[in-house]
Amino acid sequence: MTDAYRPYTLVAELTYRCPLRCVYCSNPLDWARHDGELNTATWLRVLEEAEDLGVVQLNLSGGEPLVRDDLEPLIRKARALDLYTNLITSGIPLTRDRLARFRDLGLDNVQLSIQDVSAPESDRIAGLRSFDRKLEVARWVKELGFPLTLNTVLHRDNLDRVPEVIALAEKLEADRLELANTQYLGWALVNRGALLPTRDQLARARAVAAAARRRLRGRMEVLFVTPDYYSEFPKACMDGWGRRFLLVSPTGQVLPCHVAHTLPGLTFENVKDRALEAIWRESAGFNAFRGEAWMPEPCRSCDRRAIDFGGCRCQAYHLTGNAAATDPACSLSPDHGLIEAARAQAVDEVPRSFIYRTPRAPVGG
């Protein structure tokens, strides 16, 4: 193991519980079966071990992390360890007083999800009446002096409203706007037929975002994440398997990404049983797709193999049944026809209903 595999970011998935039912959620399809959340003492130990390992940034995530009543001691510990701490939230369970406590304890940033630009559309995607509450929380964040990141997951239903999303972010005085196109795993893969946009939709939205990025430079950072389904080459998922990110699930599994636990044949160890450093460096799950030895052709001889690292292992598995396959999102993949077929289906304008996030896997999921 070399310094090429040093984690900089810990994603602490504190819980799978959430008041929202978003149709693109990356949480497990059968998330209610993953019970037995880590207690506060264990999370405090995990933060210490992560800092010892080199982690400098902490993302408090979920589910909805605010449903836990121990965020205060976690934020206090993160500040003592000098970790840059970001709360990733829907905002729904938050109170202004609690947010003020987070500030006093050392929370650095708040990332708030907003699904669309008006209540009917936003609430439809979230599966809960929540839009007006989110606007209120966004105002609290700015009033209390936090940097505000707004995150809007883009898809077929809202891509044509990217100009309005940008205008809303300006009105709320966001410091950063993440226009993150849906990545089709978890519940998003279940709903792919309803969510996948057309190429024309994506091109128009990308042009609008690029113009806004130039216009707002120095005032608001605008990030536009293109979906793999419309890229010539895939992105380096999580900056490469087990290179820079580690994720600890609500039950203590240590994972290289949000969906890695769905890959058959891989064993991911638990912080209840072993120290974080040993898991990161020695576990079979983390070492499975590090380096290049696992790569098939065309990845093995491709000049991009140290750029995209073969793409997303989870996407490869859920589309081909083989986690070691070249990511079908790559135009060079022998399975790229699966992506082309999905794009062709997206041209169909017939409205499709959503399958909402529930505690049990959908039929056929």
Side-chain angles (χ1 to χ4, degrees), residues 187-312:
W187 289 92
L189 184 57
V190 173
N191 283 297
R192 188 180 67 178
L195 293 171
L196 188 65
T198 65
R199 186 182 294 277
D200 287 346
Q201 274 187 299
L202 187 65
R204 290 193 299 269
R206 185 191 292 116
V208 168
R213 185 182 306 115
R214 294 189 294 269
R215 176 175 61 84
L216 296 169
R217 185 173 290 118
R219 286 196 290 138
M220 181 172 74
E221 182 181 4
V222 179
L223 177 68
F224 188 89
V225 181
T226 303
D228 285 346
Y229 277 53
Y230 285 102
S231 299
E232 183 179 3
F233 302 110
K235 292 181 285 296
C237 182
M238 304 292 280
D239 200 24
W241 181 279
R243 292 183 74 249
R244 295 290 178 261
F245 287 80
L246 62 84
L247 181 149
V248 178
S249 79
T251 59
Q253 266 192 315
V254 186
L255 306 168
C257 71
H258 296 78
V259 195
H261 58 84
T262 63
L263 303 184
L266 293 183
T267 299
F268 294 104
E269 298 181 65
N270 198 295
V271 293
K272 297 174 185 175
D273 306 318
R274 200 177 189 198
L276 194 61
E277 181 176 5
I279 295 173
W280 170 263
R281 297 187 184 281
E282 302 169 11
S283 68
F286 269 88
N287 284 305
F289 297 114
R290 281 172 168 156
E292 300 176 7
W294 65 271
M295 290 183 177
E297 293 292 354
C299 295
R300 184 182 292 268
S301 57
C302 182
D303 291 341
R304 294 184 55 84
R305 66 185 180 277
I307 299 173
D308 60 34
F309 308 102
C312 176

Side-chain angles (χ1 to χ4, degrees), residues 13-28:
E13 281 194 324
L14 301 178
T15 182
Y16 288 138
R17 294 173 288 153
C18 184
L20 302 188
R21 303 168 58 216
C22 296
V23 297
Y24 45 68
C25 183
S26 63
N27 284 173

Side-chain angles (χ1 to χ4, degrees), residues 20 26 47 50 52 69 120 129 145 158 169 188 197 241 258 262 279 314 336:
L20 302 188
S26 63
L47 297 186
D52 287 342
D69 60 9
R129 185 176 296 175
N158 65 5
W241 181 279
H258 296 78
T262 63
I279 295 173
C314 300
H336 188 60

Side-chain angles (χ1 to χ4, degrees), residues 18 70 111:
C18 184
D70 58 355
Q111 177 176 314

Side-chain angles (χ1 to χ4, degrees), residues 63-274:
E64 174 48 70
L66 290 168
V67 303
R68 294 205 36 148
D69 60 9
D70 58 355
L71 284 186
E72 287 83 352
L74 299 185
I75 292 169
R76 183 185 299 111
K77 171 62 80 171
R79 172 50 54 228
L81 295 170
D82 202 24
L83 300 176
Y84 184 90
T85 305
N86 179 35
L87 175 64
I88 300 175
T89 178
S90 69
I92 301 307
L94 192 59
T95 66
R96 195 181 191 281
D97 287 346
R98 194 178 192 201
L99 185 59
R101 288 202 300 276
F102 294 164
R103 179 197 60 190
D104 296 342
L105 291 168
L107 181 67
D108 292 293
N109 188 77
V110 177
Q111 177 176 314
L112 181 68
S113 65
I114 291 186
Q115 282 68 30
D116 212 318
V117 294
S118 68
E121 289 83 5
S122 183
D123 296 348
R124 175 172 176 260
I125 295 298
L128 180 78
R129 185 176 296 175
S130 55
F131 179 73
D132 293 336
R133 175 68 165 177
K134 287 171 175 286
L135 298 187
E136 183 179 30
V137 171
R139 288 189 283 269
W140 293 344
V141 171
K142 295 301 295 185
E143 289 167 5
L144 291 169
F146 286 104
L148 170 63
T149 297
L150 288 184
N151 174 273
T152 298
V153 177
L154 299 178
H155 46 80
R156 181 176 182 146
D157 266 22
N158 65 5
L159 257 173
D160 294 331
R161 289 188 290 278
V162 163
E164 290 85 352
V165 174
I166 295 169
L168 177 61
E170 289 185 77
K171 180 179 179 181
L172 295 172
E173 299 181 324
D175 299 276
R176 177 182 171 92
L177 173 62
E178 295 183 354
L179 298 167
N181 277 274
T182 303
Q183 300 299 324
Y184 294 96
L185 294 166
W187 289 92
L189 184 57
V190 173
N191 283 297
R192 188 180 67 178
L195 293 171
L196 188 65
T198 65
R199 186 182 294 277
D200 287 346
Q201 274 187 299
L202 187 65
R204 290 193 299 269
R206 185 191 292 116
V208 168
R213 185 182 306 115
R214 294 189 294 269
R215 176 175 61 84
L216 296 169
R217 185 173 290 118
R219 286 196 290 138
M220 181 172 74
E221 182 181 4
V222 179
L223 177 68
F224 188 89
V225 181
T226 303
D228 285 346
Y229 277 53
Y230 285 102
S231 299
E232 183 179 3
F233 302 110
K235 292 181 285 296
C237 182
M238 304 292 280
D239 200 24
W241 181 279
R243 292 183 74 249
R244 295 290 178 261
F245 287 80
L246 62 84
L247 181 149
V248 178
S249 79
T251 59
Q253 266 192 315
V254 186
L255 306 168
C257 71
H258 296 78
V259 195
H261 58 84
T262 63
L263 303 184
L266 293 183
T267 299
F268 294 104
E269 298 181 65
N270 198 295
V271 293
K272 297 174 185 175
D273 306 318
R274 200 177 189 198

